[in-house]
Amino acid sequence: FLGDRIHGDGLVGVALQGNVRVDSVVAQGCRPIGQPMFVTRVRDHHVLVEVDGRPPLEVIRDLFERADARDRGLLQSALFLGIEMRPDLSAYGRGDFLIRNVTAADPNTGAMTIAAPLREGLVVQFHLRDAQTSADDLDERLAHYQFERGGMGPPHGALLFSCLGRGAWLYGAPNHDSDAFRRHVGAVPLGGFFCNGEIGPVEQRTFLHGYTSAFGLFRPRLA
């Protein structure tokens, strides 16, 4: 809906100009498990055939054998693949990867289909997602944002675009992500909505995400 018109497709956006800057915080809600690995064989751009010379399902089986009961459940129901965003890094942690869905697995070959283009030489790492992990990741992202801003004053307002897979369905209670925002950033006016796909940057490149909370924070460009 745009004014008194209804459109069947397209995009409605808002353009901002003047003395305004939009900071972004994207919480992907996952934590790494196992170790970073090199992609050593890919088929058809999306089929992960080998990592460090091994079928990825073989790696998953090893992780499953070493995991506790909680992580074993997540390996069967909430497994994702993280793809490096900064090739210059020599060590990787949470937040250094673009999180993508594992869409299929072949038990005969051990290959997995990933919802992202792959190439040999990339660094990847498996990730898990649950309510506690999502909460921890959000706290870490917001705390990092506050630390980077140093002594600057609070933003004048913010928008939150949160996945339908978060909210009360994930946490068992409403307002989790907006409450976390107020704990870290303060009593800043906050609006937004739930989405079936969120757009936001990871390492200064913009992507379409799932299961994330993406914040846009408004402040003056010039102090």
Side-chain angles (χ1 to χ4, degrees):
F1 299 91
L2 178 61
D4 59 357
R5 290 178 291 167
I6 299 175
H7 299 268
D9 56 20
L11 174 72
V12 176
V14 177
L16 303 176
Q17 63 181 0
N19 183 25
V20 61
R21 170 171 175 163
V22 182
D23 297 332
S24 62
V25 174
V26 177
Q28 298 187 86
C30 288
R31 63 177 165 87
I33 185 172
Q35 299 297 322
M37 302 166 291
F38 285 104
V39 174
T40 48
R41 188 179 170 198
V42 173
R43 186 176 72 247
D44 300 330
H45 302 293
H46 294 274
V47 180
L48 183 62
V49 180
E50 288 183 355
V51 286
D52 285 352
R54 304 172 63 196
L57 274 185
E58 184 179 304
V59 176
I60 293 298
R61 292 189 187 102
D62 287 349
L63 291 174
F64 187 86
E65 290 298 321
R66 298 195 299 267
D68 57 25
R70 177 169 174 265
D71 279 359
R72 285 186 174 189
L74 295 176
L75 280 164
Q76 297 177 81
S77 62
L79 177 67
F80 298 82
L81 185 72
I83 301 171
E84 69 169 348
M85 296 304 299
R86 292 182 55 189
D88 59 306
L89 292 179
S90 58
Y92 296 88
R94 180 159 60 189
D96 293 328
F97 293 89
L98 174 67
I99 305 301
R100 285 296 181 250
N101 289 337
V102 176
T103 59
D106 185 341
N108 296 317
T109 65
M112 307 177 79
T113 304
I114 309 300
L118 301 171
R119 58 175 174 79
E120 294 174 4
L122 279 174
V123 175
V124 297
Q125 187 170 3
F126 289 112
H127 283 66
L128 300 177
R129 174 183 177 268
D130 64 354
Q132 186 60 54
T133 298
S134 294
D136 292 344
D137 184 54
L138 178 62
D139 282 334
E140 186 176 304
R141 295 294 97 202
L142 290 172
H144 181 70
Y145 171 74
Q146 285 294 88
F147 175 78
E148 280 192 326
R149 294 177 64 253
M152 291 187 288
H156 289 201
L159 294 173
L160 165 59
F161 307 97
S162 191
C163 180
L164 291 167
R166 294 175 72 101
W169 182 89
L170 177 65
Y171 298 110
N175 307 323
H176 176 277
D177 288 3
S178 54
D179 287 345
F181 175 85
R182 298 193 189 287
R183 282 199 312 274
H184 288 279
V185 182
V188 173
L190 177 68
F193 48 81
F194 285 98
C195 313
N196 191 17
E198 305 78 53
I199 298 173
V202 174
E203 293 296 341
Q204 300 182 352
R205 293 175 57 192
T206 301
F207 296 92
L208 176 65
H209 303 278
Y211 306 108
T212 63
S213 275
F215 294 84
L217 302 100
F218 301 87
R219 62 183 176 88
R221 179 179 295 275
L222 304 177

